[in-house]
Amino acid sequence: MILYLTVAVGTVLLAAMVESHPATQPYRVTRQQMCNRVCLLAVFLILFTLSACRQNVGNDYAKYVEFMHLVNSNAYVPTEPGFNLLVKIVYGVSGYENHLLVFAIYAFVTILLFLLAIYEQSDEFPMTYFLFMALGYYFQTFSTVRYYLALAIALYSMKFVIRRQWGRFILLAILGSFFHKSLLVILPLYFLASVTWKKWQLALIGVFCTTFLFFQDFYLKVVVFLYPTYEDTEYLEGGTSYINILRCLAVLVLSLFYYRKSIRDDRKMQFYFYLNLGALVLYVFCSFLPIISRIGYYLTISHILFLPALLGKTENGRWKKLLRVGMVTAAVLYFAVFMSRAYDDGLLILPYKSFFFHDMVNILSDVN
């Protein structure tokens, strides 16, 4: 716990020295640009080192090691071809089952994409990075590593949606789906969020959403068709997060105050607004769908960009200060709740263990 708090606080302090979109001068690097590079590199190295050096940290770490062993044995695994190919290459080059290097590569790419997305797209890098850490996104990369690589790709791809660079967006989503096929859901969801909807169209969408309440069996059959490995498993039990519902509601209420003046005619802000609205709809109407939170995360990850952008649109100095304090307080409370569950089976990021001092536990194949 102390290690995680130290990393979180230390990197947030480093991020505070980073200036979003610093002024540039021809043929020379400014002092602020150099400061940005040094601080970003330091943040990346700290996050990468902590992630790459872990051993059996994360609720599915041992399961991933088992998958890697099966891939190397040419046995069937439910993982995507990108993951399988990476394991084959790493194990082949290493000459042994080097699962630590596979996890390190995932950590490198995932953290790099998150930081690039935050730096390139955020209106206020320090605040966005603080939310990234406080809302637990970094520490959750210790679990479900394939999914969080996909989530980093989704966040990075948002700039292409906003710029209407659809070819790059589609290509990136398809490439990312070779590592986690759930990433394909951003193709329709992000496109829908990029549309400027009229009130009557939103009303029709609202009516359509009620079908999720009355035709749950049909939609579950669609999910099983897309994900046949979910059939007759606990994944079909569904469930939702009341914390995420409250979070989306709070963001919605806040953004409605800005809608006419700062969101309605701003392509980027409108995109974030509809992503949040879509997430709220999913959490409320589609709670019966398996792992709905994973689909919702592709939408709510935009909060770390949307909330600082709303701060930037606030002209009243006193209100802006109160709003910032409120956001920071809520994020800190969220982080406290998140860390209190760090030992739970669904997370298991504590206690932290490193391959320097701990050996890997036996996987299922070793026991059998």
Side-chain angles (χ1 to χ4, degrees), residues 55-323:
Q55 175 88 283
N56 199 28
V57 177
N59 68 302
D60 53 3
Y61 190 100
K63 183 167 68 175
Y64 269 114
V65 176
E66 170 74 10
F67 284 161
M68 295 178 202
H69 171 74
L70 293 176
V71 168
N72 193 50
S73 303
N74 295 316
Y76 169 78
V77 288
T79 48
E80 290 78 7
F83 174 85
N84 300 343
L85 179 61
L86 176 63
V87 171
K88 284 279 192 180
I89 292 173
V90 171
Y91 280 19
V93 172
S94 300
Y96 67 99
E97 297 192 352
N98 190 355
H99 66 272
L100 292 172
L101 182 55
V102 177
F103 281 115
I105 292 173
Y106 262 90
F108 184 94
V109 178
T110 302
I111 296 168
L112 179 64
L113 285 175
F114 269 127
L115 290 180
L116 281 175
I118 293 171
Y119 184 68
E120 292 178 359
Q121 300 180 60
S122 176
D123 290 347
E124 185 183 338
F125 180 87
M127 187 64 175
T128 297
Y129 180 80
F130 166 76
L131 292 174
F132 170 68
M133 294 298 291
L135 297 180
Y137 289 114
Y138 166 68
F139 293 106
Q140 290 190 85
T141 63
F142 293 179
S143 300
T144 56
V145 294
R146 289 163 38 248
Y147 171 75
Y148 273 89
L149 171 61
L151 188 63
I153 294 173
L155 182 65
Y156 187 79
S157 72
M158 287 183 184
K159 66 178 183 180
F160 299 127
V161 177
I162 295 169
R163 298 172 185 171
R164 298 292 196 268
Q165 296 175 329
W166 297 112
R168 296 183 181 185
F169 167 65
I170 293 171
L171 179 60
L172 188 58
I174 292 175
L175 289 176
S177 70
F178 284 99
F179 294 88
H180 204 286
K181 59 185 175 182
S182 71
L183 186 62
L184 292 175
V185 302
I186 72 172
L187 291 175
L189 291 179
Y190 283 14
F191 173 76
L192 291 173
S194 71
V195 175
T196 301
W197 297 99
K198 293 180 172 58
K199 291 182 180 179
W200 66 270
Q201 293 173 323
L202 290 174
L204 286 178
I205 292 174
V207 173
F208 171 75
C209 288
T210 61
T211 65
F212 290 107
L213 300 177
F214 301 105
F215 302 102
Q216 294 185 4
D217 291 340
F218 168 75
Y219 287 114
L220 282 174
K221 289 179 181 178
V222 173
V223 170
V224 171
F225 174 76
L226 295 174
Y227 293 90
T229 56
Y230 284 175
E231 190 170 11
D232 298 325
T233 68
E234 71 277 7
Y235 293 121
L236 289 182
E237 294 177 0
T240 191
S241 169
Y242 295 109
I243 293 179
N244 284 329
I245 290 176
L246 290 174
R247 183 170 131 192
C248 291
L249 275 173
V251 173
L252 177 63
V253 171
L254 177 63
S255 59
L256 286 175
F257 284 104
Y258 293 84
Y259 189 80
R260 286 183 177 274
K261 185 176 181 180
S262 303
I263 295 178
R264 183 174 57 183
D265 299 321
D266 188 311
R267 179 184 299 173
K268 179 180 73 174
M269 298 294 284
Q270 190 179 81
F271 175 62
Y272 296 154
F273 176 84
Y274 282 128
L275 285 178
N276 178 71
L277 184 61
L280 182 59
V281 168
L282 285 177
Y283 286 130
V284 172
F285 290 97
C286 305
S287 60
F288 65 93
L289 292 177
I291 320 180
I292 189 62
S293 61
R294 291 192 179 184
I295 300 175
Y297 269 29
Y298 284 126
L299 307 180
T300 58
I301 186 65
S302 63
H303 287 173
I304 67 175
L305 300 173
F306 191 27
L307 292 175
L310 289 175
L311 277 177
K313 299 292 184 180
T314 306
E315 297 176 355
N316 186 295
R318 185 177 181 182
W319 172 242
K320 186 174 185 177
K321 184 176 181 180
L322 289 174
L323 194 58

